[in-house]
Amino acid sequence: MNHQDPLKKSRLGLGGILLVSGGVLVGSGAFLLPDLGRLAGSAQMAPLPDPRATTATDGATTDPADAALRRGPAAGPSDAARPLVPVYWLGGDDGAERLFREYLTTPEESAGDPIADAVRLMTSGRPLDPDYHSSWRAASSISSSVSTKNVITLDISSDAFAQRLDEEQARLALQQLVYTATAAASDAGLIAGGEASSVVVLVDGAADHRAFGSVDLGGEWTRDAATLAPLWIIDPQEGTRTDPGSLTVHGIGPASEDELAWRIERSIDGSAEGGTELYRDGSVAIARQDGAPGAYSFPVTLPPGRYEITVSVPSDDGDSVDSKTVVVG
């Protein structure tokens, strides 16, 4: 997103919408399934799940984080009776705020609109990872629709914008919204495969609202790849409980690096408050794809206990780091 001005394209009004989420949806495109194969590294490698590729309209290439497959309990705490939806959060990365993604259980009050469900969780839910947060406030009303040109129109109540933010913070919060809405649409099959997508934001049914007191919401908003954290653990999610045995850790890393370091620390007394000791560490290769964030994967065998898995790569002023806590047994 240009920091001088949001993209100024012709805005679609609600009258120009063809497909309405929560109603009858006509058609869904096929997703591209790149073959990531097996990655090389210092640990024995396990095959990555095939991520369903999406394309951002801001010129960003395939986002390999967008729809990494959710695999049983490794997807994190959830209610098996309700589906999971992708939600983006803000988190610290080497002194800056960046976007990270989790999959959360669809709200109990879901009306069958996966885009609105994901955005509702973004405004009023809580991230699994305590290191993540959001600048949004709970929205009392959210609806969405998708045009045949993959333009997502979101109508959000003004209470979601209650917090006042400076321009940089507001634009990052809006990117959180854009990433969440487009990921949810892609995940639900509402965006045609290989086609660009964008988001129009209405507030209480009106266009051109001044969001968070600092940014005008005119035109279509697209993804800004610069707002994504360069390093994530995609799976397992924070708080995952799993049986003893082999666990595969996978995620994305920066295209500028060949490998990342990982370490696993084990709780000495099995509690979250007690001390930890190093269990295992190592490094793994990052498989790059045409300058896009690369994928990594490595298996570990964990006996019963509580563990913190940490991955890191060098950055300009320190390290980019992500970590997740898992409970085994």
Side-chain angles (χ1 to χ4, degrees):
M1 179 66 61
N2 189 313
H3 280 259
Q4 299 300 317
D5 194 18
L7 295 181
K8 293 185 177 294
K9 298 180 181 179
S10 297
R11 181 180 57 83
L12 285 180
L14 291 178
I17 301 306
L18 178 63
L19 307 182
V20 179
S21 298
V24 178
L25 299 175
V26 183
S28 62
F31 289 99
L32 304 177
L33 295 174
D35 181 12
L36 294 181
R38 299 176 70 89
L39 307 180
S42 62
Q44 179 182 356
M45 299 312 301
L48 283 175
D50 290 335
R52 290 164 286 178
T54 60
T55 304
T57 57
D58 55 10
T61 53
T62 298
D63 177 0
D66 230 6
L69 299 180
R70 304 179 293 278
R71 300 174 297 170
S78 67
D79 182 342
R82 302 200 305 274
L84 303 175
V85 292
V87 178
Y88 281 77
W89 303 108
L90 305 180
D93 175 67
D94 194 20
E97 294 256 274
R98 295 290 184 268
L99 297 178
F100 296 82
R101 191 207 62 201
E102 294 180 328
Y103 273 91
L104 302 183
T105 306
T106 300
E108 291 185 4
E109 66 276 13
S110 171
D113 180 344
I115 302 174
D117 286 342
V119 173
R120 185 177 302 280
L121 287 168
M122 185 201 75
T123 67
S124 60
R126 296 182 61 183
L128 301 174
D129 194 322
D131 294 331
Y132 300 162
H133 66 280
S134 179
S135 297
W136 295 83
R137 296 294 179 259
S140 56
S141 175
I142 302 171
S143 62
S144 76
S145 51
V146 185
S147 79
T148 53
K149 295 184 178 180
N150 288 344
V151 178
I152 301 167
T153 297
L154 286 170
D155 192 350
I156 307 176
S157 54
S158 57
D159 47 6
F161 300 87
Q163 184 172 198
R164 296 190 67 84
L165 303 174
D166 64 29
E167 183 177 353
E168 182 177 359
Q169 293 172 323
R171 289 185 182 277
L172 185 57
L174 289 167
Q175 283 296 314
Q176 181 189 357
L177 174 66
V178 169
Y179 267 92
T180 296
T182 53
S186 175
D187 199 60
L190 304 180
I191 292 177
E195 296 293 330
S197 60
S198 59
V199 178
V200 170
V201 183
L202 307 180
V203 179
D204 293 331
D208 302 323
H209 180 84
R210 192 162 180 80
F212 305 108
S214 59
V215 175
D216 293 328
L217 290 178
E220 297 175 21
W221 288 77
T222 56
R223 289 182 168 198
D224 179 358
T227 61
L228 283 178
L231 177 66
W232 301 6
I233 297 175
I234 291 177
D235 196 18
Q237 291 200 137
E238 178 72 17
T240 292
R241 293 181 176 271
T242 187
D243 295 329
S246 181
L247 173 69
T248 299
V249 179
H250 71 90
I252 60 171
S256 59
E257 297 295 325
D258 293 326
E259 66 177 21
L260 59 81
W262 59 267
R263 71 178 187 274
I264 300 175
E265 295 180 343
R266 184 177 181 178
S267 170
I268 295 174
D269 62 4
S271 71
E273 294 76 23
T276 61
E277 59 184 2
L278 179 66
Y279 176 71
R280 283 190 63 187
D281 61 4
S283 61
V284 64
I286 300 173
R288 296 186 296 274
Q289 293 183 332
D290 299 327
Y296 68 86
S297 177
F298 60 92
V300 291
T301 299
L302 302 177
R306 184 183 185 91
Y307 299 87
E308 182 172 66
I309 303 169
T310 302
V311 295
S312 62
V313 294
S315 62
D316 293 340
D317 300 315
D319 289 333
S320 290
V321 178
D322 195 17
S323 63
K324 295 289 180 278
T325 298
V326 299
V327 178
V328 178

